[in-house]
Amino acid sequence: MATLRATRHADAFTGRHVLSMGDYHPRDLDLLFRTADETRSDLASGRDHRPLAGRLLMSAFFDKSTRTRLAHETAMIRLGGTVAGFADATVTRAGGTTQESDDDIARMVSLYGDVVVVRHPETGWPAHAASLSEAAMVINGGDGVGEHPTQTMVDLYTMHRRFGGLDGLRILILNDLRMRCVRSLLLGLRHFDCTVYGLSASGKDAAALPEGVPPIHTGRDLDSLLSEVDIVYSSPTVAAERPEDSLDRVTLNRDLLRRHSGHDITVMHPLPRKGEVDTDLDDTRFAGYWEQADNGVPVRMALLRLMFGC
Ligand code: CP
């Protein structure tokens, strides 16, 4: 990764890998959000803006995905770039009798692409892939129970748009607090003046959290929390690495929200959902998760533009 390590830029994005939310500060997020706003305007106006023509994004998904892969690929194509890669490593030489190593595949995709988005079941693997890359930038598309930084960029942008900023928000994180999206979210919130509450099924409390993240206040019941928070962020309850571990969850539904909220609450969820958010919330004012999913493309477009410095 000699080329990238030797590169120093004034911002946190240009020419850099995207591995952890711990690498970003409010000024970086502000730049990302402003770029995403511009990108949304471009998309809405139909302006044909193709700054990444000639650039190639490789998708290397060693684990399943709907949104993360498709949003990165859509973003690259909308910016005029092209995409290649795999959504299932068993169709590469990793499958079958060859059993090519993930390391060799990581080297290959970094030789072919200008930027590689990687999802892998092993925590920390995208950083390892970045260390193997000569010149391609690596984006962590979710690693085991590690992090999911671009999901958090989308989450924070959605909160920022809905509430006009992040300071002062009261956020309840529900269900499985061990998930990578929660870990990245807490890292993303660490520079903002937010109050974070947590409510999880037994045994699903956040594991050792990184230093400096906001404390998660626990011990309150759902009813009292719903009467005062701005955002309920439900994590998914089914992790690929723990498929058996999925039944204990709080389900948010229309009755519950209407009964307990004297004020507006935004329900967020990175998706896929598996019973944490009832479909009867989908068309209500509470639902923030479709907006969150919709922001997945302009935020990845903004991120790619900044990574390529254009
Ligand atoms: N939010 C998210 O990471 O979804 P996918 O697993 O479908 O990529």
Side-chain angles (χ1 to χ4, degrees):
M1 212 205 44
T3 313
L4 290 178
R5 279 211 182 110
T7 307
R8 287 285 176 270
H9 291 283
D11 69 68
F13 301 104
T14 313
R16 305 270 185 110
H17 302 302
V18 176
L19 299 174
S20 166
M21 277 311 292
D23 295 334
Y24 302 97
H25 292 83
R27 66 177 176 279
D28 308 313
L29 295 173
D30 184 56
L31 176 63
L32 181 73
F33 296 168
R34 280 187 285 115
T35 310
D37 284 342
E38 277 172 32
T39 305
R40 282 176 58 90
S41 300
D42 286 348
L43 288 171
S45 68
R47 183 173 165 237
D48 193 24
H49 185 48
R50 296 177 176 270
L52 296 192
R55 303 291 196 167
L56 175 65
L57 173 113
M58 294 291 298
S59 288
F61 278 70
F62 295 89
D63 211 353
K64 290 181 170 41
S65 165
T66 303
R67 279 145 293 273
T68 307
R69 183 176 66 84
L70 293 177
H72 278 91
E73 293 184 355
T74 305
M76 191 64 177
I77 291 166
R78 289 206 182 279
L79 289 166
T82 49
V83 300
F86 55 89
D88 175 358
T90 61
V91 301
T92 70
R93 288 292 198 176
T97 51
T98 333
Q99 297 290 303
E100 184 173 21
S101 72
D102 292 358
D103 280 23
D104 282 2
I105 293 173
R107 279 184 194 269
M108 292 310 307
V109 293
S110 76
L111 290 174
Y112 294 160
D114 300 298
V115 58
V116 182
V117 56
V118 177
R119 172 167 289 188
H120 200 281
E122 192 178 314
T123 301
W125 203 84
H128 175 62
S131 75
L132 299 172
S133 171
E134 272 300 320
M137 295 174 280
V138 173
I139 298 174
N140 179 357
D143 60 316
V145 292
E147 280 207 52
H148 197 347
T150 68
Q151 178 64 51
T152 294
M153 291 173 184
V154 172
D155 297 344
L156 297 181
Y157 179 68
T158 304
M159 294 177 190
H160 175 81
R161 275 181 58 80
R162 277 225 167 191
F163 294 92
L166 296 169
D167 282 325
L169 289 179
R170 295 157 298 176
I171 304 168
L172 166 62
I173 306 181
L174 263 188
N175 288 316
D176 195 339
L177 306 191
R178 302 166 300 178
M179 291 291 186
R180 60 192 175 211
C181 55
V182 174
R183 195 176 172 82
S184 284
L185 180 62
L186 290 169
L187 275 168
L189 290 173
R190 75 195 187 288
H191 293 296
F192 299 96
D193 181 20
C194 298
T195 307
V196 179
Y197 302 96
L199 195 60
S200 61
S202 151
K204 294 179 180 176
D205 293 333
L209 289 171
E211 251 179 62
V213 303
I216 303 182
H217 302 284
T218 55
R220 297 267 306 270
D221 62 81
L222 182 63
D223 289 0
S224 73
L225 287 166
L226 285 179
S227 66
E228 65 184 67
V229 297
D230 304 296
I231 294 167
V232 185
Y233 186 102
S234 175
S235 69
T237 51
V238 181
E241 60 278 8
R242 294 188 296 269
E244 73 293 347
D245 185 18
S246 61
L247 293 177
D248 238 353
R249 65 173 74 95
V250 173
T251 299
L252 296 167
N253 60 34
R254 193 188 304 209
D255 278 351
L256 184 68
L257 270 286
R258 282 194 176 151
R259 221 172 41 240
H260 292 294
S261 69
H263 64 289
D264 271 341
I265 297 183
T266 295
V267 174
M268 297 182 67
H269 192 304
L271 304 175
R273 59 181 157 182
K274 189 94 178 178
E276 304 90 19
V277 179
D278 197 289
T279 53
D280 74 359
L281 275 180
D282 286 2
D283 298 315
T284 68
R285 64 191 164 91
F286 303 112
Y289 38 95
W290 296 128
E291 184 183 329
Q292 208 179 339
D294 191 38
N295 286 332
V297 171
V299 170
R300 266 68 172 236
M301 287 174 75
L303 179 63
L304 288 167
R305 278 176 59 185
L306 291 169
M307 290 172 76
F308 284 100
C310 58

